[in-house]
Amino acid sequence: MYGFSKFYSKFYKYPLPLLLLSLWLVAVFLLSDRPAHSQHTATSNKEKYQSSLLAKRIMPSTLTENVRKTVLENGLTVLTKEVHTAPVVTVQAWYKVGSRNEEPGVNGIAHQLEHMMFKGTKNRPIQFGRLFSALGSDSNAFTSYDQTAYYGTVERNKLKALLVLEADRMRNSQIEPEQLASEKRVVISELQGYENSPEYRLNRAVMKAVFPNHAYGLPVGGTKADVEKFEVEQVEKYYRNFYSPDNAVLVIVGDFQTANTLETIKEVFGKLPRQEAGVISPSSLSLNTQHSTLNTQHSTLSTQHSAFNTPIVLREPGAGRLLQVVYPLPDANQPDVPALDVMDYILTEGRNSRLYQALVESGLASEVTASVTSLRESGWYELLVTAGAKQDLKKIDSMLSSAIANVAEKGVTSEEVERAKTQLAADVILSNRDITSQAMRLGTDETTVGDYRYTDRYLAAVRLVKPTDVVAVINKYLTKEARTVGFFEPTQKRITEVADKPHSAQTTENFSPGAPVLFSEVMKYLPPVDLATDAIAQVLPQEFKLTNGLRILLLPDRSTPTVTLSGYIQAGTEFDPEKKAGLAAFVADNLLNGTKSKDVLTIAKVLGERGASLDFQTYREGVHIEGDSLADDLPILLEILADVVKNSTFPAKELELHRQQTLTDLQQELDEPSEVARRVFVQSIYPKKHPLHTFPTEESLQQIQRQDVIDFKTKHYRPDTTVLALVGDFDLDKVRSLIKNKFGDWEVSGQAPTLKYPPVAMPQKIVSVNPVLPDKAQAVTYMGYTGINRYDPRFHSALVLNQILGGDTLSSRLGAEVRDRQGLSYGIYSSFQALKNVGTFLIEMQTSPEDSSKAIASTRQMLQQIHQQGVTALEVETAKRTLISSYNVSLANPEELTDRILMNEVYGLDKVELHSFTDKIQKVTLTQVNQAARELLHPDQIVVVTAGPSVLAEKSIR
């Protein structure tokens, strides 16, 4: 798989989660109740009223309103939905095939084929990622249990070009031996990244036991042993069997005219043939037909686990204890699914949830997460518990079972059910604000259950769920006989000592990369397109400022009945005392744990009853506020925000509970090569006493006292260092009045704290550091040095340079060489992290341990090549077009738009920067980019940190 947009996490809590493979993300290192009782008949009228109110308030229309379904003569299903809020469109090709259509020995072939679909076609023998990048398309793909999907979001004038590319690779993809060999290495690199995670390894073992005779028990991405054996003929056969129009769904959502677009689709896709006669039908290639009915399968599993008293135990190197419990569930079309999802929210969603109260509040666990998975042939309920420090998994398991049994025995309240239903419905609405998400919803429903209207039917059924229904599904499915339990018991502590002063080593190169990518080839194979960019409406946010210094930016947007809120407070980790690192995050993480008028459960309840969210994330230079709600609930969201930033009380009990959770999280983070590499990299660049050098440790977290938290909050949480940005369905005057009323009495005292960042010299030679994490399957490398800040006059030139160098893992120079040609890394990216006070140039990659040295050498050689020879005019023009198109597409997403508005204000940029950014990119010249390459790329003065197995420490960088 090639990627995973961040919105996927929002599918986690409602039906048909895609459960996709996780993208190895590039780390942005600088930002880095009442007792239950049985239902009483007196509440029935209240239930009916609340349910009808829910239907009226947050479901005024269906998610599938204006969706049109068309089936071409060759069997291609086309779903179209016009959304004219921005001049962008998303095109998605979904195939009804996934890991469900595999068996042991060929596990991962769907995933491998997905990778090969980017390798080119008979008509276009070129990496498709480069074509998508040239179009400025936000494109990617994923493999799941029941489907494989390819998606791209572009400006509307490039719609036909995307359609042409998808049609071309639907039937004309080429699978060449050399490319397959290279891409198998990439897939194995990806799988090794997952293998680094104890959660992944535990889940794999448990799912194999839950589904011993069904492909749902196999890992979606496959196994290294199977991937290594794939032959060209196997992959080609799989492609011929499953990639045909009659086994595909084409989804288009955005700013287009349906009639004209359908004619274009018929022209482009209509000539593709149906599946060849005699080819195995995709619907019949499920692994074992005896498991096609849930009742048979569920009975089999219940029998198998009826006497299951001993959990699956993994005793392996790791950092913390984990408990996983999985219960088999029915397929997505079964009527119990809505009640199961309501049950899940009651059990695990938020501070008021039953299992959070039983496990986390008691200190037994630091975290509990869960999800209901409803798929084509079956489903399951999965619980994952991270144990608290020194807590016994058997005790946690016993408490978990008791808590679930208690719910089954005593029932749930009408209030709990209504809150869960509201949260669930609000999550669906809030997760479908952008066109890419809307198309994903349609594609998932059509390929999983055969009905794009499934979510509408599902939400209607959710509104009818009663407390008795929740108890019924618990008694039916969450039985001890049905469950499979897994324990992860770490056998050793992974955290290794990292020297304060890294050792240095000058290296010699023994690798020469191939010639630069010829971008004339990219243009040669690009479908005809009007490359003139559509003018984006020049709508600017309204800005006002309270007398206390609080700055607010408002941009009304009536496209959905929701509001997105972003905020920033200058109270980041740069202000952490050296011996109390973690203090800034301690403050932000505990703001919602109680105020002068509300305790933690009341705050959670007020937000939960409306399906609203509010969160605080701490980064180097500030605390980022993230919130969203339905439009009618904005007053509640702002009331809670104002209350916690002004009146947080930091109860001692909650602080101590948070400390234990943070210590557990730290232990797990230091078991991850990416986190260890990030820390060592930053501390190798920035010396002690520098604001960026300090990271939390067990010792520093133990030093933090309640008074420290109160004092930091008093000193740094100020209206004159706070910015709020809101985008959504609201009236400007009403919101101004509301904010003034809620925040106007937030007082300022004295001058805001400031920091002076000392200058940091470049390394004089190559600095190589290899922190050791035993037994990890994958290594992670960070390379770089100090860079430019946001105000550097070379900023826009550096963005263009970076896009060419490593801005995209498929189309960049580094991606084309290190990933695509050599197959050394699943993902390699570069970036200029340009903040207010500091900047860092960074390259990040993940590799097999044995490939790290070669990948590092190749990367340095590419830096040297661009530093000395520069880039081409065509590369610059293509990169500029990509950046401009991607930026315009991003503004169609409410969350990204709100963040852009916010950070422009934080950086002190003019409001017009929201739209003038693209003009500044367009004006960048070849001369400026090559000058930036000479001034900003330093392959012989670079810090290289590779975290992974001990074998790395025994090798010098080549």
Side-chain angles (χ1 to χ4, degrees), residues 681 783-787 805 830-832 839-843 863 937:
F681 175 73
M783 306 172 63
Y785 37 75
T786 56
L805 172 65
S830 66
S831 60
F832 285 92
T840 304
F841 172 67
L842 166 70
I843 297 172
L863 289 174
L937 300 183

Side-chain angles (χ1 to χ4, degrees), residues 416-714:
E416 284 179 302
V417 171
E418 293 306 318
R419 181 166 64 240
K421 288 157 62 172
T422 302
Q423 288 175 318
L424 202 160
D427 280 353
V428 175
I429 300 297
L430 292 167
S431 297
N432 283 278
R433 286 174 291 178
D434 63 281
I435 62 171
T436 303
S437 300
Q438 292 176 43
M440 286 285 175
R441 182 78 267 149
L442 295 172
T444 302
D445 288 350
E446 184 68 21
T447 55
T448 303
V449 298
D451 183 3
Y452 70 90
R453 296 161 298 190
Y454 174 85
T455 298
D456 285 337
R457 292 191 287 108
Y458 163 83
L459 287 173
V462 165
R463 293 198 292 269
L464 302 177
V465 172
K466 302 184 296 295
T468 51
D469 298 326
V470 174
V471 174
V473 294
I474 291 176
N475 285 322
K476 184 175 181 180
Y477 299 106
L478 269 58
T479 65
K480 283 193 174 183
E481 295 75 23
R483 71 185 198 139
T484 301
V485 181
F487 288 176
F488 181 84
E489 295 276 9
T491 57
Q492 68 186 66
K493 192 174 182 181
R494 282 190 182 274
I495 304 172
T496 59
E497 292 297 321
V498 176
D500 290 337
K501 294 182 179 180
H503 65 275
S504 301
Q506 182 66 46
T507 65
T508 56
E509 305 302 332
N510 66 353
F511 177 80
S512 297
V517 178
L518 294 176
F519 275 77
S520 58
E521 290 293 293
V522 176
M523 305 311 292
K524 173 182 174 183
Y525 294 115
L526 201 65
V529 63
D530 176 10
L531 292 177
T533 303
D534 280 319
I536 304 294
Q538 300 289 305
V539 180
L540 296 174
Q542 299 291 311
E543 181 177 3
F544 72 101
K545 187 176 181 179
L546 300 186
T547 55
N548 59 12
L550 177 67
R551 290 166 286 164
I552 301 99
L553 298 107
L554 303 175
L555 183 61
D557 175 7
R558 309 289 185 182
S559 59
T560 64
T562 65
V563 176
T564 301
L565 179 150
S566 284
Y568 177 96
I569 303 173
Q570 191 177 319
T573 62
E574 63 184 4
F575 292 110
D576 273 350
E578 182 181 355
K579 294 184 178 180
K580 295 182 180 180
L583 177 58
F586 239 69
V587 176
D589 293 344
N590 283 278
L591 288 171
L592 291 166
N593 283 347
T595 66
K596 296 174 182 177
S597 60
K598 302 179 185 69
D599 64 16
V600 59
L601 295 182
T602 301
I603 293 171
K605 182 179 176 183
V606 169
L607 292 171
E609 285 176 342
R610 291 156 179 83
S613 69
L614 182 62
D615 191 29
F616 297 85
Q617 296 290 330
T618 310
Y619 300 105
R620 285 293 182 183
E621 291 187 343
V623 172
H624 196 167
I625 306 166
E626 300 173 354
D628 55 30
S629 72
L630 300 169
D632 290 346
D633 295 323
L634 178 58
I636 299 296
L637 183 65
L638 289 173
E639 178 185 333
I640 296 295
L641 174 59
D643 192 21
V644 299
V645 297
K646 293 187 298 183
N647 304 313
S648 290
T649 54
F650 305 107
K653 177 187 173 184
E654 298 298 336
L655 279 177
E656 191 54 40
L657 180 63
H658 176 72
R659 187 197 313 276
Q660 297 308 315
Q661 293 170 343
T662 304
L663 288 168
T664 301
D665 292 343
L666 175 63
Q667 189 179 33
Q668 292 184 321
E669 286 175 5
L670 295 180
D671 184 48
E672 299 174 3
S674 58
E675 177 63 22
V676 173
R678 180 179 75 96
R679 282 182 171 233
V680 176
F681 175 73
V682 173
Q683 292 185 328
S684 298
I685 294 175
Y686 299 102
K688 284 187 174 182
K689 307 301 182 183
H690 191 281
L692 298 188
H693 184 87
T694 305
F695 282 86
T697 64
E698 182 176 347
E699 292 73 23
S700 71
L701 293 173
Q702 294 286 12
Q703 291 293 319
I704 297 172
Q705 303 299 314
R706 179 170 181 266
Q707 192 60 47
D708 298 322
V709 175
I710 293 171
D711 292 345
F712 188 97
K713 160 70 165 52
T714 302

Side-chain angles (χ1 to χ4, degrees), residues 786-799 832-839 907 909 920 928 931-932 935-936:
T786 56
I788 60 173
N789 65 23
R790 179 60 181 84
Y791 310 108
D792 193 291
R794 298 166 294 184
F795 174 72
H796 297 92
S797 300
L799 290 182
F832 285 92
Q833 305 283 355
L835 303 184
K836 288 179 67 175
N837 298 305
V838 72
Y907 288 137
L909 305 175
K920 294 175 182 177
Q928 291 171 328
Q931 181 177 347
E935 295 174 355
L936 300 178

